[in-house]
């Protein structure tokens, strides 16, 4: 059953789907009145039937109580130093499927890619669209927020609001004795929001690592192997899912 997110709540059991989603219903899926879809409003999913068409908009009627939520029990924010090429698209899509709550991009010392401020808004909108489509495909009730790019200094200020913060440090992977990430996660049962910072290709500099740890971040290793910039966030989300779901 097709799933669509709407920005407003149902009023008297009715809601309007507009824009690209309405076009998808009418032109791509060629749906008719009476057909059922899933509509997600304010973090809750409902089964609804198509009640009619108002020009390019689609009017729907709620036909069920709130459906089961498939959201990750923890709100996980992924912070990535700008990677090269299309890796951001991959991270956004797959991390959304794995339950990411929010994505923050930042300019790290070793980031090769430089964010074009003039094109930045369009890139952010494209990533937000990728997240929305991935959320629909994976039957989520929340579309992750893709934040505008920030500086490393701004990132340090933003991370004060989370219950627990981790930084992936490849130097930890080289140690003979490592604290397993699973053991660290087992101590966060009472924590609701988790922030994890990852570097770009080449990792974070020691200056950045020390600045994060001075802010209360815990250094974590993701096993004995060195993971790519686009692989590490997916590893972490998978581990969190395994621990808490």
């Amino acid at each position: 059953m097709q799933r669509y997110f709407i920005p407003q709540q149902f009023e008297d059991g009715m809601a309007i789907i507009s824009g690209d989603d309405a076009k998808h219903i009418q032109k791509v899926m060629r749906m008719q009145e009476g057909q059922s879809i899933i509509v997600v409003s304010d973090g809750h999913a409902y089964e609804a039937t198509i009640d009619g068409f108002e020009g390019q908009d689609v009017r729907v009627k709620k036909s069920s109580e709130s459906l089961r939520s498939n959201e990750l029990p923890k709100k996980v924010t992924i912070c990535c130093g700008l990677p090269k090429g299309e890796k951001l698209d991959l991270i956004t899509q797959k991390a959304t499927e794995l339950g990411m709550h929010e994505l923050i991009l930042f300019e790290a010392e070793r980031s090769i890619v430089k964010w074009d401020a003039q094109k930045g808004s369009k890139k952010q909108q494209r990533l937000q669209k990728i997240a929305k489509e991935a959320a629909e495909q994976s039957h989520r009730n929340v579309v992750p927020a893709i934040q505008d790019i920030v500086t490393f200094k701004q990132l340090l200020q933003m991370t004060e609001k989370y219950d627990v913060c981790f930084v992936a440090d490849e130097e930890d992977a080289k140690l003979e004795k490592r604290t397993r990430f699973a053991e660290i996660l087992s101590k966060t049962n009472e924590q609701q929001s988790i922030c994890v910072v990852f570097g770009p290709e080449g990792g974070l500099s020691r200056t950045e690592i020390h600045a994060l740890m001075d802010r209360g971040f815990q250094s974590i290793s993701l096993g004995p192997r060195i993971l790519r910039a686009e692989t590490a966030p997916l590893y972490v989300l998978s581990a969190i899912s395994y621990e808490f779901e």
Side-chain angles (χ1 to χ4, degrees):
M1 196 177 295
Q2 293 292 312
R3 177 172 294 235
Y4 299 95
F5 288 85
I6 59 174
Q8 76 277 15
Q9 295 183 340
F10 282 89
E11 293 187 9
D12 297 324
M14 305 295 291
I16 296 294
I17 299 176
S18 57
D20 290 341
D21 286 340
K23 185 183 298 183
H24 185 267
I25 290 172
Q26 297 183 69
K27 304 297 183 180
V28 179
M29 301 304 298
R30 298 187 181 279
M31 291 184 175
Q32 305 296 323
E33 290 185 24
Q35 287 190 266
S36 296
I37 58 175
I38 299 295
V39 177
V40 185
S41 169
D42 195 27
H44 297 278
Y46 306 90
E47 187 172 335
T49 56
I50 296 176
D51 188 66
F53 301 94
E54 300 178 0
Q56 296 182 339
D57 296 338
V58 179
R59 186 175 66 252
V60 294
K61 182 178 182 180
K62 183 166 61 174
S63 58
S64 77
E65 296 299 321
S66 179
L67 303 177
R68 185 189 69 183
S69 173
N70 296 322
E71 290 302 305
L72 199 63
K74 307 292 184 181
K75 292 183 177 180
V76 183
T77 294
I78 299 295
C79 305
C80 291
L82 280 177
K84 294 186 295 184
E86 298 180 354
K87 293 178 181 179
L88 270 181
D89 293 8
L90 176 67
I91 292 171
T92 301
Q93 182 187 63
K94 300 308 178 186
T96 296
E97 292 178 22
L98 290 168
M100 173 182 70
H101 180 74
E102 177 186 34
L103 176 63
I104 298 175
L105 308 172
F106 68 95
E107 292 181 319
E109 284 185 28
R110 296 175 180 168
S111 289
I112 298 174
V113 175
K114 300 302 178 183
W115 194 264
D116 187 328
Q118 294 182 342
K119 299 179 180 178
S121 178
K122 290 185 177 179
K123 288 183 179 179
Q124 190 265 348
Q125 291 174 16
R126 190 188 80 250
L127 292 174
Q128 190 67 68
K129 182 178 180 181
I130 290 173
K132 176 178 177 293
E133 292 172 349
E136 291 170 345
Q137 183 275 326
S138 54
H139 290 193
R140 290 192 55 180
N141 287 7
V142 175
V143 178
I146 312 300
Q147 304 294 350
D148 290 332
I149 188 170
V150 297
T151 64
F152 182 74
K153 184 177 180 180
Q154 289 172 324
L155 176 69
L156 290 175
Q157 297 171 344
M158 294 172 66
T159 53
E160 295 179 352
K161 63 182 180 180
Y162 302 104
D163 294 332
V164 59
C165 296
F166 300 124
V167 53
D169 186 2
E170 65 180 43
E171 293 301 317
D172 277 8
K174 301 174 184 178
L175 300 176
E176 287 292 330
K177 293 184 178 181
R178 300 180 305 275
T179 302
R180 296 174 63 248
F181 186 44
E183 294 177 11
I184 296 175
L185 284 178
S186 66
K187 300 176 183 178
T188 63
N189 288 324
E190 303 304 318
Q191 314 298 332
Q192 293 303 310
S193 60
I194 299 174
C195 174
V196 193
V197 174
F198 303 89
E201 298 85 356
L204 295 166
S205 71
R206 301 321 296 168
T207 300
E208 290 169 327
I209 291 288
H210 293 150
L212 289 165
M213 295 184 73
D214 286 344
R215 285 278 183 168
F217 276 71
Q218 299 179 55
S219 175
I220 58 172
S221 64
L222 308 179
R225 293 163 294 280
I226 304 301
L227 304 180
R228 290 179 179 271
E230 67 272 28
T231 307
L234 309 185
Y235 177 106
V236 164
L237 286 163
S238 298
I240 293 173
S241 173
Y242 182 82
E243 179 66 27
F244 297 112
E245 291 192 303

